[in-house]
Amino acid sequence: MRLTRNRALAHRSNVGAALRLLCVALVAAPARAAATPGCAQIVGLKDSSSGSTWWAQVLNGLPKVRLDVELLNGKDAKSSPAKKTAKIVGALSPSPCASGAALTGFTLNPHHAAGVDWRDVAARRPRARAVVWDRSNFVKKVVSAVLYEQPGCRSHNVQRLKQAQKCRRATASTPPRDFVRRVRGEACDSAALFETARAIWPNATVHAMAYEDFRRDAAGETIKLFEALGLDASPVAAKLRTRQRTIKRSPEDLRKTFTNFEAIAAALEAASPATCDLAAMLRDTAATPFRCDAAAVCRHLKAREKAGS
């Protein structure tokens, strides 16, 4: 009887040990799965004058990353919607892991993609994800556009230091009301990026990145991107290089750029909604990230224009 009881106790002890080992294995399994390198492909929706070429260059410097810059350009914008749709579908692999790359895709300005059948794109490439890249400072996007219009500065990506220096020394005088109107356009364009991203893959989370955040901590922002896409982010800190092959055309301090700087600042202050200081964007010299709701700014400035302000 005592022998039988001892056997029973030993059996229960063995079962308990086995269950404890099983629990440890189940807890550890998700961690191992999460650490397994995967692959992803993205459509990087971006606006003009947002620093997206630099962003793509930095990412392409990482192992197993291949991003095409501006899949559709100005010439493609004149193509039929069917041709543009086919080009986008063709650039997204149905089997993204087959190439051995961790991250593939391209950047795209929605202005060049008018008429694209995004439902068809999503249906044929359901594994792709939309990533929004933009400047959080709408005003500085206008500044880049104004400087682009100056003699000697008409290059989308300035790659020569002398040309950049010439652009930075350029001066302009823009009617304040016209400047505010252009800020409205940039805010509306920023809002449209998110609308487009949500419309393509409505059931997927849209990952957003801001130029200003990337300037301050490129590695940290890239790690966030990789983690959001389920990728192994361990190579980022060691391999990321932020040296620019393109050069920023606008100076940080704009007081010498616009001969009517204070008049523009006053107009922006008067036009600003309560939740977004547009004049502060103009005066900023430190690439400060602004957390304004682009859609709300767009609606506010449209309403002012409609009222004749």
Side-chain angles (χ1 to χ4, degrees), residues 34 39-42 103 127-132 204-209 220-233 236:
C39 64
Q41 55 184 351
I42 63 170
L103 178 61
R127 295 183 61 185
R129 288 277 301 275
V131 174
V132 170
T205 302
V206 175
H207 185 77
M209 301 184 71
E221 292 302 306
T222 303
I223 289 171
K224 289 178 186 177
L225 170 66
F226 273 48
E227 290 177 345
L229 296 172
L231 303 178
D232 176 16
V236 173

Side-chain angles (χ1 to χ4, degrees), residues 31-95:
R32 288 198 296 270
T36 302
C39 64
Q41 55 184 351
I42 63 170
V43 175
L45 296 171
K46 40 79 65 178
D47 202 3
S48 301
S49 303
S50 64
S52 62
T53 300
W54 171 51
W55 172 55
Q57 288 171 349
V58 171
L59 291 185
N60 279 330
L62 291 170
K64 297 185 178 181
V65 175
R66 292 198 295 271
L67 288 183
D68 291 330
V69 178
E70 294 274 10
L71 181 71
L72 300 180
N73 55 34
K75 293 181 179 179
D76 291 307
K78 300 176 182 177
S79 301
S80 69
K83 285 186 177 180
K84 287 185 282 190
T85 301
K87 187 170 184 177
I88 290 172
V89 171
L92 294 170
S93 171
S95 303

Side-chain angles (χ1 to χ4, degrees), residues 44-266:
L45 296 171
K46 40 79 65 178
D47 202 3
S48 301
S49 303
S50 64
S52 62
T53 300
W54 171 51
W55 172 55
Q57 288 171 349
V58 171
L59 291 185
N60 279 330
L62 291 170
K64 297 185 178 181
V65 175
R66 292 198 295 271
L67 288 183
D68 291 330
V69 178
E70 294 274 10
L71 181 71
L72 300 180
N73 55 34
K75 293 181 179 179
D76 291 307
K78 300 176 182 177
S79 301
S80 69
K83 285 186 177 180
K84 287 185 282 190
T85 301
K87 187 170 184 177
I88 290 172
V89 171
L92 294 170
S93 171
S95 303
C97 293
S99 67
L103 178 61
T104 57
F106 50 83
T107 62
L108 177 71
N109 188 331
H111 285 295
H112 298 154
V116 166
D117 187 348
W118 288 113
R119 288 187 179 181
D120 184 41
V121 173
R124 297 170 68 180
R125 299 293 184 265
R127 295 183 61 185
R129 288 277 301 275
V131 174
V132 170
W133 167 275
D134 200 13
R135 291 183 80 159
S136 66
N137 188 326
F138 318 129
V139 173
K140 290 294 180 77
K141 284 171 41 174
V142 174
V143 172
S144 293
V146 169
L147 289 179
Y148 172 78
E149 296 160 2
Q150 305 309 306
C153 295
R154 294 190 67 83
S155 297
H156 287 292
N157 294 302
V158 177
Q159 297 187 4
R160 298 196 308 272
L161 181 59
K162 285 186 177 180
Q163 184 184 10
Q165 290 172 337
K166 183 178 180 179
C167 293
R168 290 172 187 171
R169 290 193 298 266
T171 59
S173 178
T174 303
R177 188 167 182 173
D178 182 57
F179 194 96
V180 173
R181 179 186 60 80
R182 295 180 72 163
V183 171
R184 183 265 303 157
E186 294 295 350
C188 293
D189 284 349
S190 293
L193 289 176
F194 286 93
E195 291 172 5
T196 302
R198 295 187 187 104
I200 302 173
W201 292 281
N203 296 324
T205 302
V206 175
H207 185 77
M209 301 184 71
Y211 165 82
E212 293 83 1
D213 289 324
F214 199 75
R215 275 190 60 179
R216 291 181 168 217
D217 183 11
E221 292 302 306
T222 303
I223 289 171
K224 289 178 186 177
L225 170 66
F226 273 48
E227 290 177 345
L229 296 172
L231 303 178
D232 176 16
S234 59
V236 173
K239 300 291 186 179
L240 195 77
R241 299 291 182 269
T242 58
R243 182 179 178 183
Q244 300 187 35
R245 291 195 292 273
T246 57
I247 305 171
K248 193 171 179 289
R249 68 162 54 87
S250 57
E252 297 295 349
D253 191 337
L254 301 171
R255 287 175 293 180
K256 293 182 179 180
T257 302
F258 291 95
T259 56
N260 60 337
F261 178 90
E262 292 301 335
I264 293 173

